Amino acid sequence: MEKGRAIVDVRGLTKIYRGRKGPLSALQDLSFQGRGGEVLGILGPNGSGKTTTIKSIATLIEFDAGEVSVMGVDVKKQPRKARSYLGAVLEGARNVYWRLTPWENLLYFAGLRGLMPGEIRERAKDLLDSLGLAEVSHKQVRFFSKGMQQKVAVACAFITKPPVVLLDEPTLGLDVETARKMRSWILETARDEGTFVLITSHDMKFIESVCHRVLVLKEGRVLREGTPESLRNLFSQKVYRIVLEEDPQEWLLTLLQPFPGFRIERDERGDSLLFSLKDPSELYKVFALLQSAGLTLRSLDILSDDFEEIFLDILKDGGCPEPTVRREG
Amino acid sequence: MRRVLGLIAAEAVKYWAEIKSYLFNTLSWLVALYIIFLTFFLGLRHFAGPNVDGAKLDSIIVGYVTWMFALMGFQGISYGVVEETHKGTFEQLYLSPLGLETIFAVRILYEFLYSLVFNSAILLLTMVTTGRWLSLGISGFLKLLLLLTLSLPSLWGLGYLFGGLAMLSKKMGAFLQVISFLLIGLVALPGYPFKPVSLLPFTAGASSLRALVCSSGSQTFPLLWYLFLLGLSSFYILVGLWLYRMCERIARRRNLLGQY
């Protein structure tokens, strides 16, 4: 697979569901590209259009406007050809046959794409080994935990080395350790095989750690797009914890109130003052106030950002992170 | 073509794995079939006496087998959609570049072969056990096979249509059971020689099968009749596929594929 080449091209994707309660816009003019070797994450609250995006690329949904191509093939004009380039794990579905073993499932799903068992034996063995399924490869999937079943589904999605793999909520039901291994495995496979992997997930940590790029969707529109780092930098606000030798007086707390994200945490050590500041130089103003009150600083900690908080900020602010806009009022 | 071979191999893997997995069900079905055939052979002799008309016995057994094939032909696709949706694998099947209709066509062929082999084997076992033999003869049996092969696909067309409808409404499952019983009517109607009802799916074929069996295999059919059966099956398959694709398109537009 040619790495770095745009192999998925989504332009102006629009989908409107027409129900009894009137039309519901699921996707509005969505555009993005996916390149070989890249892992792209889609984040968004329920109903933001994540699954509709995946299903539109997978030809499972007929969209109303826009163009989607996979490996240069228009999914509307040549859906079958486009499907031959795809592997997928779909949300809310079993994806694999529970009465079959992982081995049989792999042979079966390869066959659905027209490959003979002899052509994929080595690949199947490699997948089972690398996903830790080798020992249970001849046991029926119905006896597996949810996490193991999900791994079988992921293996089936990758069995034919498709250039594009769509993973809708692949970490559902996975324990922390399995999710961590899955993350490394997806990254390595995408890199080594030049696969474009599109992932939707509610697991922010998973998305942050596995994706090269993230799209944040809300109500069918892209609010933000960028690397996890760029989103972090754009939206991050360091949380500073200040612990004083003695508890601050009420009047001082009133003066501190206007500072962004100001709150007090009380524990056995006394009061901690917390601030979520985008601009660290604002700390000078805080220190000036503390000094004027004659309070002695015991410690200052910088707490790490939480990607989940950043994501919630993006949703809340509609993709406009300017502090002046955000902090007014 | 090479891709279809891959699919055929894959379906064989799945079919065999499921037979093994549902071994108890498979064996139960075979025992039940054996008991049904025994009941036909011995029950008829018991109630009608030892001089019961052999053609009548043949007719009952072949009528029953024909109905079973009709059921299998219709349900293979229509229930297939409902079952796959229940299992949560329907959308994965849809992702096959070969198309859902090709997958179901391969499955229905396996079902046909499976039913043919096991029905014949159990029938043979029953005949050995009871010492009573169907008076069809080898040439009669071959004609029966030909008639079945030419006329049964018309029900596959019906299966595609109801499979398509099952994509749109998952409540179709209950309705399909009713339709399955209505198939008895299609099998029982007099469709040979040609009458307007012969145009119904499988009616002409089932009626020809009865005529063949009642004549102990000596009944002959003109070439035109075989061509008529072939044409009728082709017509129903094409119409069924066309309607199925229409339903599929609506299902895709409304995001109903795989939804249950």
Side-chain angles (χ1 to χ4, degrees), chain B residues 160-177:
Chain B
Y160 275 120
L161 163 63
F162 282 93
L165 291 174
M167 279 188 221
L168 299 179
S169 169
K170 302 305 182 284
K171 289 175 187 160
M172 189 58 72
F175 185 59
L176 289 177
Q177 288 178 344

Side-chain angles (χ1 to χ4, degrees), chain A residues 42-60:
Chain A
I42 300 185
L43 280 175
N46 291 339
S48 59
K50 303 186 295 290
T51 297
T52 303
T53 307
I54 291 243
K55 285 190 171 181
S56 298
I57 298 170
T59 75
L60 292 166

